[in-house]
Amino acid sequence: MKRVTTFVGSARKKGTYNAVCQFLKDLQLLGEVEFEIIPLSDYRLGTCRGCQLCFDKGEEFCPLKDDRDMLIDKIMASDGVVFASPNYSFQVSAIMKIFLDRLGFVFHRPRFFGKTFTSIIAQGIYGGGKIVRYLDFVGNGLGFNTVKGSCVTALQPMTEKEKEKIDKVLARQSRRFYERLVNPTYPVPTLFRLMAFRMARTSIRLELDENSRDYAYYKDKGWFESDYYYPTRLGALKKAAGSLFDSIQTKRTRSRHS
Ligand SMILES: Cc1cc2nc3c(=O)[nH]c(=O)nc-3n(C[C@H](O)[C@H](O)[C@H](O)COP(=O)(O)O)c2cc1C
């Protein structure tokens, strides 16, 4: 049995919620899946004040006392995660963005490796493709194994033709997602993701002191010595690229301080 948690950034049960329900229905036709739908507006989520205590000292020092940790526990207990939002003014909804900001420290200390992720955007007319790419990028940054998301478009009330098109898009997405959910992988990183890891860890090693939370996290995970966040087989080219990224970032960091 696989567990999927869906975070919904709309306060009403309409376009986004219906798309999520259709996606989950399709998923359950493919195999044994249990799910939970989390309407973010039903939870207490404070607006980040930008103090950065979570980055520097640790997330438990955040002055906001809200449901952040409960929601993170739900992610940790899941095999698959979906972030779904309406397109509001060419971006995710405000409540979804507040949630993403509450997860900001996880970009510094990624942790959702091996969990499958995807995104769903519901919109009236235009602009959702970019939001899907944004959310998929966010998923990667948090450590998830990301399956390409979808954007569904319809003005209300939806026509039969629009509904058919949306159902097809969601059925395809659920198949992609299910494949990954039942075969969880720790993929060999792309060059971009390898670069992001190697440059971040070089900065952390050279710029932060041992008491900083990011430094302690990287040390604890063995990331100062590893090729990547998790064991993976880098080919000769990526090994060489990794060393190059280490030395470029070392030079950049030293020149910042000279
Ligand atoms: C404040 C607001 C901003 C919106 N901005 C856009 C937009 O930029 N592009 C678009 O195609 N639809 C936009 N819409 C339409 C919604 O994306 C669309 O109605 C969507 O289905 C709403 O999702 P929901 O039914 O889950 O609330 C906007 C709607 C609202 C309320």
Side-chain angles (χ1 to χ4, degrees):
M1 177 69 78
K2 297 288 179 184
R3 183 164 181 77
V4 174
T5 306
T6 306
F7 296 86
V8 179
S10 175
R12 58 182 203 159
K13 291 189 171 168
K14 279 279 181 116
T16 315
Y17 183 84
N18 290 341
V20 162
C21 291
Q22 183 63 42
F23 173 83
L24 292 169
K25 202 167 125 194
D26 290 337
L27 209 55
Q28 285 195 310
L29 291 175
L30 297 169
E32 295 218 331
V33 174
E34 60 176 16
F35 64 81
E36 184 176 5
I37 300 177
I38 311 243
L40 288 170
S41 50
D42 287 356
Y43 288 78
R44 291 176 310 127
L45 283 171
T47 308
C48 175
R49 295 180 192 161
C51 65
Q52 304 203 15
L53 283 173
C54 60
F55 294 166
D56 303 336
K57 288 182 74 181
E59 56 271 30
E60 62 276 28
F61 291 90
C62 176
L64 300 175
K65 301 298 166 222
D66 61 11
D67 292 334
R68 179 198 66 186
D69 291 348
M70 188 201 299
L71 296 175
I72 291 176
D73 288 348
K74 285 179 185 290
I75 296 179
M76 290 312 276
S78 306
D79 305 294
V81 168
V82 183
F83 286 180
S85 174
N87 171 354
Y88 277 2
S89 313
F90 310 106
Q91 244 308 339
V92 292
S93 63
I95 183 72
M96 176 57 77
K97 184 59 169 57
I98 285 171
F99 177 52
L100 299 182
D101 292 349
R102 298 297 286 122
L103 298 177
F105 69 92
V106 183
F107 296 105
H108 282 229
R109 306 188 286 276
R111 58 200 61 195
F112 303 136
F113 305 111
K115 297 183 188 297
T116 305
F117 173 90
T118 198
S119 64
I120 297 175
I121 296 294
Q123 68 177 4
I125 300 172
Y126 172 79
K130 274 192 186 149
I131 313 175
V132 167
R133 287 197 288 283
Y134 164 69
L135 275 184
D136 290 353
F137 182 80
V138 163
N140 283 334
L142 296 171
F144 287 112
N145 197 353
T146 298
V147 171
K148 193 169 173 288
S150 291
C151 173
V152 298
T153 305
L155 289 171
Q156 299 297 337
M158 198 182 282
T159 64
E160 265 311 304
K161 207 168 154 202
E162 282 167 337
K163 168 108 180 65
E164 265 172 37
K165 190 170 171 202
I166 287 174
D167 285 353
K168 266 192 201 153
V169 166
L170 294 170
R172 273 203 302 273
Q173 186 183 7
S174 68
R175 283 197 292 274
R176 288 198 294 277
F177 188 81
Y178 185 77
E179 275 299 303
R180 200 73 69 83
L181 191 66
V182 291
N183 299 299
T185 55
Y186 289 78
V188 176
T190 59
L191 264 183
F192 178 80
R193 294 181 78 177
L194 181 65
M195 179 184 76
F197 168 70
R198 301 296 275 257
M199 291 197 160
R201 73 117 178 246
T202 303
S203 293
I204 288 168
R205 186 167 55 81
L206 297 177
E207 304 229 39
L208 298 185
D209 78 69
E210 296 196 9
N211 298 319
S212 100
R213 190 56 171 270
D214 288 354
Y215 190 101
Y217 192 83
Y218 271 62
K219 191 166 176 208
D220 180 54
K221 300 274 178 209
W223 287 348
F224 289 126
E225 291 81 37
S226 62
D227 281 342
Y228 192 58
Y229 294 116
Y230 46 75
T232 186
R233 274 181 165 273
L234 296 181
L237 191 71
K238 282 192 177 154
K239 278 233 176 237
S243 304
L244 184 66
F245 297 141
D246 290 343
S247 64
I248 290 172
Q249 191 60 20
T250 302
K251 275 195 198 118
R252 282 172 59 172
T253 309
R254 292 209 168 119
S255 78
R256 263 193 84 211
H257 295 284
S258 63

